[in-house]
Amino acid sequence: MIYDRIASYLRGDFDAQPERIAWAEAFAADKAAKSLRRCFVDPRNDSGRAPVSASSHFYCARNLHYLLTCAPKEESQPRAKMVFHLGDNVETMAVYLAILAGVPIVTPKADAVQRSVSLVMGGEPLPGHIDMTIDYMGAECPVEVKSMSEYGWEKSRDEGVEDTFGYLTQLQFYMAALKAPRGFFLGV
């Protein structure tokens, strides 16, 4: 549904509504500024961010241990900062296009605030921020945007999304937090 609407829009099958254009532009401007600041101006400022969240690498017990104990982190390499920003841009582009294409988006709105959720695990709240939620058959359902190589996209299309990097775990977390009957990946 999401892909079909975006592809139809990009083919020129219909024009975006003016209010959706304003929404998409406000969303993109806010997301771009936040990503640039997070990746290039304040890359070490994790204040206010939980050490473990729904997007943590649950497949690596060692990494989780280091996060939970707040062990000192090795400085990110310059290339990693650019890769994180590129991923943010892919997410922004996908949500921007979904807005223009008329996908029934619940969040984010023009304020760019993603849907925040939390589940209690081991007595501690585990937060998460969902890329986008849509109204699907009357329920708010999470959408995770993932940038993929051509190989990864074709493999996911043909074989389904695997959980090597915790993508399924992350989406299932969001589904449980929203009590959503369905979750979606949008591969770009």
Side-chain angles (χ1 to χ4, degrees), residues 56-114:
S56 294
H57 297 186
F58 289 95
Y59 60 86
C60 180
R62 181 174 176 224
N63 182 54
L64 282 175
H65 171 75
Y66 288 149
L67 290 172
L68 288 169
T69 60
C70 298
K73 293 183 192 177
E74 154 181 328
E75 178 70 26
S76 293
Q77 295 300 309
R79 183 177 183 278
K81 295 172 185 178
M82 291 185 277
V83 168
F84 288 132
H85 181 63
L86 179 61
D88 288 347
N89 283 329
V90 168
E91 176 191 328
T92 301
M93 176 191 65
V95 175
Y96 182 90
L97 286 170
I99 293 168
L100 294 178
V103 172
I105 297 171
V106 178
T107 63
K109 293 294 186 195
D111 62 6
V113 175
Q114 294 173 304

Short mmCIF file of all heavy atoms in Angstrom, two decimals, residues 56-114:
data_model
loop_
_atom_site.label_atom_id
_atom_site.label_comp_id
_atom_site.label_asym_id
_atom_site.label_seq_id
_atom_site.Cartn_x
_atom_site.Cartn_y
_atom_site.Cartn_z
N SER A 56 18.10 -0.65 19.83
CA SER A 56 19.40 -1.18 20.26
C SER A 56 19.66 -2.54 19.59
O SER A 56 18.73 -3.21 19.16
CB SER A 56 19.44 -1.35 21.78
OG SER A 56 19.37 -0.12 22.42
N HIS A 57 20.90 -2.92 19.57
CA HIS A 57 21.29 -4.18 18.95
C HIS A 57 21.13 -5.34 19.94
O HIS A 57 22.08 -5.74 20.59
CB HIS A 57 22.73 -4.09 18.45
CG HIS A 57 22.91 -3.06 17.39
ND1 HIS A 57 24.09 -2.89 16.73
CD2 HIS A 57 22.07 -2.15 16.86
CE1 HIS A 57 23.96 -1.92 15.84
NE2 HIS A 57 22.75 -1.45 15.91
N PHE A 58 19.92 -5.87 20.02
CA PHE A 58 19.64 -6.95 20.96
C PHE A 58 20.33 -8.25 20.57
O PHE A 58 20.45 -9.16 21.37
CB PHE A 58 18.12 -7.17 21.08
CG PHE A 58 17.44 -6.06 21.81
CD1 PHE A 58 16.86 -5.01 21.12
CD2 PHE A 58 17.41 -6.05 23.19
CE1 PHE A 58 16.25 -3.97 21.80
CE2 PHE A 58 16.80 -5.01 23.88
CZ PHE A 58 16.21 -3.97 23.18
N TYR A 59 20.79 -8.35 19.34
CA TYR A 59 21.47 -9.56 18.87
C TYR A 59 22.88 -9.67 19.45
O TYR A 59 23.52 -10.70 19.35
CB TYR A 59 21.53 -9.61 17.34
CG TYR A 59 22.25 -8.43 16.72
CD1 TYR A 59 23.63 -8.44 16.54
CD2 TYR A 59 21.54 -7.31 16.30
CE1 TYR A 59 24.29 -7.36 15.98
CE2 TYR A 59 22.19 -6.23 15.73
CZ TYR A 59 23.56 -6.26 15.57
OH TYR A 59 24.21 -5.20 15.02
N CYS A 60 23.37 -8.60 20.08
CA CYS A 60 24.73 -8.61 20.62
C CYS A 60 24.69 -8.35 22.13
O CYS A 60 24.56 -7.20 22.57
CB CYS A 60 25.58 -7.56 19.92
SG CYS A 60 27.29 -7.50 20.53
N ALA A 61 24.80 -9.42 22.91
CA ALA A 61 24.74 -9.30 24.36
C ALA A 61 25.86 -8.41 24.90
O ALA A 61 25.66 -7.66 25.86
CB ALA A 61 24.81 -10.69 25.00
N ARG A 62 27.01 -8.47 24.28
CA ARG A 62 28.15 -7.66 24.72
C ARG A 62 27.84 -6.17 24.58
O ARG A 62 28.07 -5.37 25.48
CB ARG A 62 29.38 -8.04 23.90
CG ARG A 62 30.62 -7.30 24.28
CD ARG A 62 31.79 -7.86 23.49
NE ARG A 62 32.97 -7.09 23.78
CZ ARG A 62 33.82 -6.67 22.86
NH1 ARG A 62 33.65 -6.98 21.61
NH2 ARG A 62 34.86 -5.98 23.20
N ASN A 63 27.27 -5.80 23.44
CA ASN A 63 26.91 -4.41 23.19
C ASN A 63 25.87 -3.95 24.22
O ASN A 63 25.97 -2.86 24.77
CB ASN A 63 26.38 -4.24 21.77
CG ASN A 63 26.05 -2.80 21.46
OD1 ASN A 63 26.87 -1.91 21.61
ND2 ASN A 63 24.83 -2.57 21.03
N LEU A 64 24.87 -4.77 24.48
CA LEU A 64 23.84 -4.43 25.47
C LEU A 64 24.46 -4.23 26.86
O LEU A 64 24.10 -3.30 27.57
CB LEU A 64 22.76 -5.50 25.53
CG LEU A 64 21.74 -5.48 24.41
CD1 LEU A 64 20.80 -6.67 24.54
CD2 LEU A 64 20.96 -4.18 24.39
N HIS A 65 25.37 -5.11 27.22
CA HIS A 65 26.04 -4.98 28.52
C HIS A 65 26.76 -3.64 28.61
O HIS A 65 26.65 -2.93 29.62
CB HIS A 65 27.03 -6.14 28.74
CG HIS A 65 27.89 -5.95 29.94
ND1 HIS A 65 27.41 -6.13 31.23
CD2 HIS A 65 29.18 -5.56 30.07
CE1 HIS A 65 28.38 -5.87 32.08
NE2 HIS A 65 29.46 -5.53 31.41
N TYR A 66 27.49 -3.27 27.58
CA TYR A 66 28.21 -2.01 27.58
C TYR A 66 27.25 -0.82 27.66
O TYR A 66 27.51 0.16 28.37
CB TYR A 66 29.10 -1.87 26.35
CG TYR A 66 30.32 -2.77 26.37
CD1 TYR A 66 30.86 -3.26 25.21
CD2 TYR A 66 30.94 -3.12 27.57
CE1 TYR A 66 31.98 -4.08 25.22
CE2 TYR A 66 32.05 -3.93 27.60
CZ TYR A 66 32.57 -4.41 26.42
OH TYR A 66 33.67 -5.21 26.45
N LEU A 67 26.13 -0.92 26.96
CA LEU A 67 25.15 0.16 27.02
C LEU A 67 24.54 0.29 28.41
O LEU A 67 24.40 1.39 28.95
CB LEU A 67 24.03 -0.08 25.99
CG LEU A 67 24.42 0.06 24.52
CD1 LEU A 67 23.27 -0.40 23.63
CD2 LEU A 67 24.81 1.49 24.19
N LEU A 68 24.17 -0.85 29.00
CA LEU A 68 23.52 -0.84 30.31
C LEU A 68 24.46 -0.38 31.42
O LEU A 68 24.02 0.23 32.41
CB LEU A 68 22.96 -2.22 30.64
CG LEU A 68 21.72 -2.61 29.82
CD1 LEU A 68 21.41 -4.08 30.01
CD2 LEU A 68 20.53 -1.75 30.21
N THR A 69 25.73 -0.65 31.28
CA THR A 69 26.70 -0.24 32.30
C THR A 69 27.30 1.13 32.00
O THR A 69 28.16 1.61 32.74
CB THR A 69 27.84 -1.27 32.44
OG1 THR A 69 28.52 -1.39 31.18
CG2 THR A 69 27.31 -2.62 32.90
N CYS A 70 26.83 1.74 30.91
CA CYS A 70 27.31 3.07 30.48
C CYS A 70 28.83 3.09 30.31
O CYS A 70 29.51 4.06 30.69
CB CYS A 70 26.85 4.15 31.44
SG CYS A 70 25.06 4.31 31.51
N ALA A 71 29.36 2.00 29.78
CA ALA A 71 30.80 1.92 29.52
C ALA A 71 31.20 2.99 28.51
O ALA A 71 30.41 3.35 27.64
CB ALA A 71 31.14 0.53 28.97
N PRO A 72 32.40 3.52 28.64
CA PRO A 72 32.84 4.54 27.68
C PRO A 72 32.81 3.98 26.26
O PRO A 72 33.16 2.83 26.03
CB PRO A 72 34.27 4.86 28.11
CG PRO A 72 34.50 4.19 29.41
CD PRO A 72 33.42 3.19 29.61
N LYS A 73 32.37 4.82 25.33
CA LYS A 73 32.29 4.42 23.93
C LYS A 73 33.52 4.92 23.18
O LYS A 73 34.05 5.98 23.48
CB LYS A 73 31.06 5.02 23.26
CG LYS A 73 29.76 4.50 23.74
CD LYS A 73 28.65 5.16 22.93
CE LYS A 73 27.30 4.93 23.53
NZ LYS A 73 26.26 5.61 22.78
N GLU A 74 33.87 4.16 22.20
CA GLU A 74 34.93 4.59 21.30
C GLU A 74 34.33 5.67 20.39
O GLU A 74 33.16 5.62 20.02
CB GLU A 74 35.38 3.34 20.54
CG GLU A 74 35.97 3.51 19.23
CD GLU A 74 36.35 2.16 18.60
OE1 GLU A 74 36.71 1.21 19.30
OE2 GLU A 74 36.26 2.09 17.38
N GLU A 75 35.11 6.66 20.06
CA GLU A 75 34.66 7.76 19.21
C GLU A 75 34.23 7.23 17.85
O GLU A 75 34.92 6.40 17.25
CB GLU A 75 35.79 8.77 19.04
CG GLU A 75 35.47 9.95 18.15
CD GLU A 75 34.46 10.91 18.74
OE1 GLU A 75 34.36 10.97 19.99
OE2 GLU A 75 33.78 11.59 17.97
N SER A 76 33.08 7.70 17.36
CA SER A 76 32.61 7.30 16.02
C SER A 76 33.59 7.79 14.97
O SER A 76 34.13 8.90 15.08
CB SER A 76 31.23 7.90 15.73
OG SER A 76 30.27 7.35 16.56
N GLN A 77 33.79 6.98 13.97
CA GLN A 77 34.65 7.37 12.86
C GLN A 77 33.92 8.38 11.99
O GLN A 77 32.68 8.37 11.93
CB GLN A 77 35.03 6.14 12.05
CG GLN A 77 35.88 5.14 12.81
CD GLN A 77 37.19 5.76 13.28
OE1 GLN A 77 37.92 6.35 12.49
NE2 GLN A 77 37.49 5.63 14.56
N PRO A 78 34.64 9.26 11.30
CA PRO A 78 34.00 10.26 10.45
C PRO A 78 33.01 9.65 9.45
O PRO A 78 31.91 10.17 9.26
CB PRO A 78 35.17 10.93 9.74
CG PRO A 78 36.30 10.80 10.71
CD PRO A 78 36.09 9.45 11.35
N ARG A 79 33.37 8.53 8.86
CA ARG A 79 32.48 7.89 7.89
C ARG A 79 31.17 7.47 8.54
O ARG A 79 30.10 7.59 7.95
CB ARG A 79 33.18 6.66 7.28
CG ARG A 79 32.37 5.98 6.22
CD ARG A 79 33.15 4.80 5.60
NE ARG A 79 32.40 4.19 4.55
CZ ARG A 79 31.44 3.29 4.71
NH1 ARG A 79 31.09 2.92 5.93
NH2 ARG A 79 30.80 2.78 3.69
N ALA A 80 31.23 6.98 9.78
CA ALA A 80 30.01 6.54 10.48
C ALA A 80 29.04 7.69 10.67
O ALA A 80 27.83 7.53 10.54
CB ALA A 80 30.37 5.91 11.82
N LYS A 81 29.56 8.87 10.97
CA LYS A 81 28.71 10.04 11.15
C LYS A 81 27.96 10.36 9.85
O LYS A 81 26.77 10.70 9.88
CB LYS A 81 29.53 11.24 11.60
CG LYS A 81 30.15 11.04 12.98
CD LYS A 81 31.10 12.14 13.34
CE LYS A 81 31.77 11.84 14.67
NZ LYS A 81 32.74 12.86 15.04
N MET A 82 28.65 10.23 8.73
CA MET A 82 28.00 10.48 7.44
C MET A 82 26.98 9.39 7.11
O MET A 82 25.92 9.66 6.55
CB MET A 82 29.05 10.63 6.35
CG MET A 82 29.86 11.90 6.51
SD MET A 82 31.02 12.19 5.18
CE MET A 82 32.39 11.19 5.71
N VAL A 83 27.29 8.14 7.46
CA VAL A 83 26.37 7.03 7.22
C VAL A 83 25.09 7.21 8.03
O VAL A 83 23.99 7.00 7.53
CB VAL A 83 27.05 5.68 7.52
CG1 VAL A 83 26.03 4.54 7.55
CG2 VAL A 83 28.13 5.39 6.49
N PHE A 84 25.22 7.62 9.30
CA PHE A 84 24.03 7.87 10.13
C PHE A 84 23.18 8.97 9.51
O PHE A 84 21.96 8.87 9.46
CB PHE A 84 24.41 8.23 11.56
CG PHE A 84 24.93 7.08 12.36
CD1 PHE A 84 26.09 7.21 13.10
CD2 PHE A 84 24.27 5.85 12.37
CE1 PHE A 84 26.57 6.14 13.85
CE2 PHE A 84 24.75 4.78 13.10
CZ PHE A 84 25.90 4.93 13.85
N HIS A 85 23.83 10.03 9.04
CA HIS A 85 23.09 11.13 8.42
C HIS A 85 22.41 10.66 7.13
O HIS A 85 21.27 11.03 6.86
CB HIS A 85 24.01 12.32 8.16
CG HIS A 85 23.30 13.48 7.56
ND1 HIS A 85 22.29 14.17 8.20
CD2 HIS A 85 23.43 14.08 6.35
CE1 HIS A 85 21.84 15.13 7.41
NE2 HIS A 85 22.52 15.09 6.30
N LEU A 86 23.09 9.85 6.35
CA LEU A 86 22.49 9.32 5.13
C LEU A 86 21.24 8.50 5.47
O LEU A 86 20.20 8.63 4.81
CB LEU A 86 23.50 8.45 4.37
CG LEU A 86 23.00 7.81 3.08
CD1 LEU A 86 22.59 8.87 2.08
CD2 LEU A 86 24.07 6.91 2.50
N GLY A 87 21.31 7.66 6.50
CA GLY A 87 20.14 6.90 6.93
C GLY A 87 19.00 7.80 7.34
O GLY A 87 17.83 7.55 7.02
N ASP A 88 19.32 8.88 8.08
CA ASP A 88 18.29 9.85 8.46
C ASP A 88 17.65 10.47 7.22
O ASP A 88 16.44 10.67 7.16
CB ASP A 88 18.90 10.98 9.30
CG ASP A 88 19.28 10.56 10.70
OD1 ASP A 88 18.87 9.46 11.15
OD2 ASP A 88 20.00 11.35 11.37
N ASN A 89 18.47 10.77 6.20
CA ASN A 89 17.95 11.37 4.97
C ASN A 89 17.04 10.40 4.21
O ASN A 89 16.02 10.82 3.65
CB ASN A 89 19.09 11.83 4.05
CG ASN A 89 19.71 13.11 4.52
OD1 ASN A 89 19.06 13.95 5.12
ND2 ASN A 89 20.99 13.28 4.26
N VAL A 90 17.40 9.13 4.19
CA VAL A 90 16.55 8.13 3.53
C VAL A 90 15.19 8.06 4.24
O VAL A 90 14.15 8.04 3.59
CB VAL A 90 17.25 6.75 3.49
CG1 VAL A 90 16.28 5.66 3.08
CG2 VAL A 90 18.44 6.80 2.55
N GLU A 91 15.22 8.02 5.57
CA GLU A 91 13.98 8.00 6.34
C GLU A 91 13.14 9.25 6.05
O GLU A 91 11.93 9.17 5.79
CB GLU A 91 14.27 7.91 7.83
CG GLU A 91 13.04 7.99 8.70
CD GLU A 91 13.37 8.16 10.18
OE1 GLU A 91 14.41 7.65 10.63
OE2 GLU A 91 12.57 8.83 10.87
N THR A 92 13.78 10.42 6.08
CA THR A 92 13.07 11.68 5.82
C THR A 92 12.45 11.67 4.43
O THR A 92 11.29 12.05 4.25
CB THR A 92 14.02 12.88 6.00
OG1 THR A 92 14.52 12.88 7.33
CG2 THR A 92 13.31 14.20 5.73
N MET A 93 13.21 11.23 3.44
CA MET A 93 12.70 11.19 2.06
C MET A 93 11.50 10.26 1.96
O MET A 93 10.48 10.61 1.34
CB MET A 93 13.80 10.71 1.10
CG MET A 93 13.32 10.55 -0.33
SD MET A 93 14.51 9.70 -1.39
CE MET A 93 14.57 8.08 -0.66
N ALA A 94 11.57 9.09 2.58
CA ALA A 94 10.48 8.13 2.49
C ALA A 94 9.20 8.66 3.14
O ALA A 94 8.11 8.55 2.58
CB ALA A 94 10.90 6.80 3.13
N VAL A 95 9.34 9.25 4.33
CA VAL A 95 8.18 9.82 5.01
C VAL A 95 7.64 11.01 4.22
O VAL A 95 6.43 11.16 4.05
CB VAL A 95 8.51 10.19 6.47
CG1 VAL A 95 7.33 10.90 7.14
CG2 VAL A 95 8.91 8.95 7.26
N TYR A 96 8.52 11.85 3.71
CA TYR A 96 8.14 13.01 2.89
C TYR A 96 7.30 12.55 1.70
O TYR A 96 6.22 13.09 1.43
CB TYR A 96 9.42 13.69 2.42
CG TYR A 96 9.26 14.95 1.59
CD1 TYR A 96 9.19 16.20 2.19
CD2 TYR A 96 9.22 14.88 0.21
CE1 TYR A 96 9.09 17.35 1.44
CE2 TYR A 96 9.10 16.03 -0.56
CZ TYR A 96 9.03 17.27 0.06
OH TYR A 96 8.93 18.41 -0.69
N LEU A 97 7.78 11.52 1.00
CA LEU A 97 7.04 11.01 -0.16
C LEU A 97 5.72 10.37 0.25
O LEU A 97 4.70 10.52 -0.44
CB LEU A 97 7.89 10.00 -0.94
CG LEU A 97 9.02 10.63 -1.75
CD1 LEU A 97 9.95 9.54 -2.29
CD2 LEU A 97 8.46 11.49 -2.88
N ALA A 98 5.70 9.68 1.39
CA ALA A 98 4.45 9.08 1.87
C ALA A 98 3.41 10.15 2.17
O ALA A 98 2.22 9.99 1.86
CB ALA A 98 4.72 8.22 3.10
N ILE A 99 3.86 11.27 2.74
CA ILE A 99 2.95 12.38 3.01
C ILE A 99 2.39 12.91 1.69
O ILE A 99 1.17 13.04 1.53
CB ILE A 99 3.66 13.51 3.78
CG1 ILE A 99 4.04 13.04 5.19
CG2 ILE A 99 2.77 14.76 3.86
CD1 ILE A 99 5.01 13.98 5.93
N LEU A 100 3.27 13.21 0.73
CA LEU A 100 2.82 13.74 -0.56
C LEU A 100 1.89 12.78 -1.29
O LEU A 100 0.95 13.20 -1.97
CB LEU A 100 4.02 14.07 -1.45
CG LEU A 100 4.95 15.19 -0.98
CD1 LEU A 100 6.11 15.35 -1.95
CD2 LEU A 100 4.20 16.49 -0.79
N ALA A 101 2.16 11.48 -1.15
CA ALA A 101 1.40 10.46 -1.87
C ALA A 101 0.04 10.16 -1.23
O ALA A 101 -0.71 9.35 -1.75
CB ALA A 101 2.23 9.19 -1.98
N GLY A 102 -0.24 10.79 -0.10
CA GLY A 102 -1.55 10.60 0.51
C GLY A 102 -1.68 9.35 1.35
O GLY A 102 -2.80 8.89 1.63
N VAL A 103 -0.57 8.77 1.78
CA VAL A 103 -0.62 7.61 2.68
C VAL A 103 -1.30 8.08 3.98
O VAL A 103 -1.04 9.19 4.45
CB VAL A 103 0.81 7.08 2.96
CG1 VAL A 103 0.82 6.01 4.03
CG2 VAL A 103 1.43 6.55 1.66
N PRO A 104 -2.16 7.26 4.56
CA PRO A 104 -2.88 7.69 5.78
C PRO A 104 -1.99 7.69 7.02
O PRO A 104 -2.06 6.82 7.88
CB PRO A 104 -4.01 6.66 5.90
CG PRO A 104 -3.48 5.43 5.22
CD PRO A 104 -2.60 5.94 4.10
N ILE A 105 -1.13 8.69 7.11
CA ILE A 105 -0.14 8.79 8.18
C ILE A 105 -0.80 9.32 9.45
O ILE A 105 -1.54 10.31 9.41
CB ILE A 105 1.02 9.70 7.76
CG1 ILE A 105 1.76 9.08 6.57
CG2 ILE A 105 1.98 9.96 8.92
CD1 ILE A 105 2.78 9.97 5.93
N VAL A 106 -0.51 8.66 10.55
CA VAL A 106 -0.95 9.15 11.87
C VAL A 106 0.16 10.01 12.47
O VAL A 106 -0.09 11.11 12.94
CB VAL A 106 -1.31 7.97 12.80
CG1 VAL A 106 -1.72 8.47 14.19
CG2 VAL A 106 -2.42 7.10 12.19
N THR A 107 1.39 9.51 12.46
CA THR A 107 2.56 10.27 12.90
C THR A 107 3.73 9.94 11.99
O THR A 107 3.80 8.83 11.45
CB THR A 107 2.97 9.92 14.36
OG1 THR A 107 3.35 8.56 14.44
CG2 THR A 107 1.86 10.23 15.34
N PRO A 108 4.63 10.92 11.79
CA PRO A 108 4.69 12.25 12.37
C PRO A 108 3.83 13.23 11.59
O PRO A 108 3.59 13.05 10.40
CB PRO A 108 6.16 12.61 12.26
CG PRO A 108 6.62 11.88 11.03
CD PRO A 108 5.81 10.62 10.99
N LYS A 109 3.43 14.28 12.27
CA LYS A 109 2.74 15.39 11.63
C LYS A 109 3.80 16.43 11.27
O LYS A 109 4.99 16.16 11.33
CB LYS A 109 1.67 15.97 12.57
CG LYS A 109 0.53 15.01 12.83
CD LYS A 109 -0.26 14.75 11.56
CE LYS A 109 -1.49 13.90 11.83
NZ LYS A 109 -2.04 13.35 10.60
N ALA A 110 3.37 17.63 10.94
CA ALA A 110 4.30 18.68 10.50
C ALA A 110 5.30 19.07 11.58
O ALA A 110 6.36 19.60 11.27
CB ALA A 110 3.52 19.91 10.05
N ASP A 111 5.01 18.76 12.85
CA ASP A 111 5.96 19.08 13.92
C ASP A 111 7.13 18.11 13.95
O ASP A 111 8.05 18.27 14.74
CB ASP A 111 5.27 19.13 15.28
CG ASP A 111 4.65 17.80 15.69
OD1 ASP A 111 4.83 16.77 14.99
OD2 ASP A 111 3.95 17.79 16.72
N ALA A 112 7.10 17.09 13.11
CA ALA A 112 8.17 16.09 12.94
C ALA A 112 8.34 15.18 14.14
O ALA A 112 9.28 14.39 14.18
CB ALA A 112 9.50 16.75 12.59
N VAL A 113 7.45 15.24 15.11
CA VAL A 113 7.57 14.39 16.29
C VAL A 113 7.12 12.98 15.95
O VAL A 113 5.99 12.75 15.50
CB VAL A 113 6.74 14.96 17.47
CG1 VAL A 113 6.77 14.01 18.66
CG2 VAL A 113 7.26 16.33 17.86
N GLN A 114 8.05 12.05 16.14
CA GLN A 114 7.74 10.65 15.91
C GLN A 114 6.93 10.11 17.08
O GLN A 114 6.97 10.66 18.18
CB GLN A 114 9.02 9.83 15.78
CG GLN A 114 9.84 10.18 14.56
CD GLN A 114 11.18 9.47 14.56
OE1 GLN A 114 11.93 9.58 15.51
NE2 GLN A 114 11.45 8.76 13.50
#
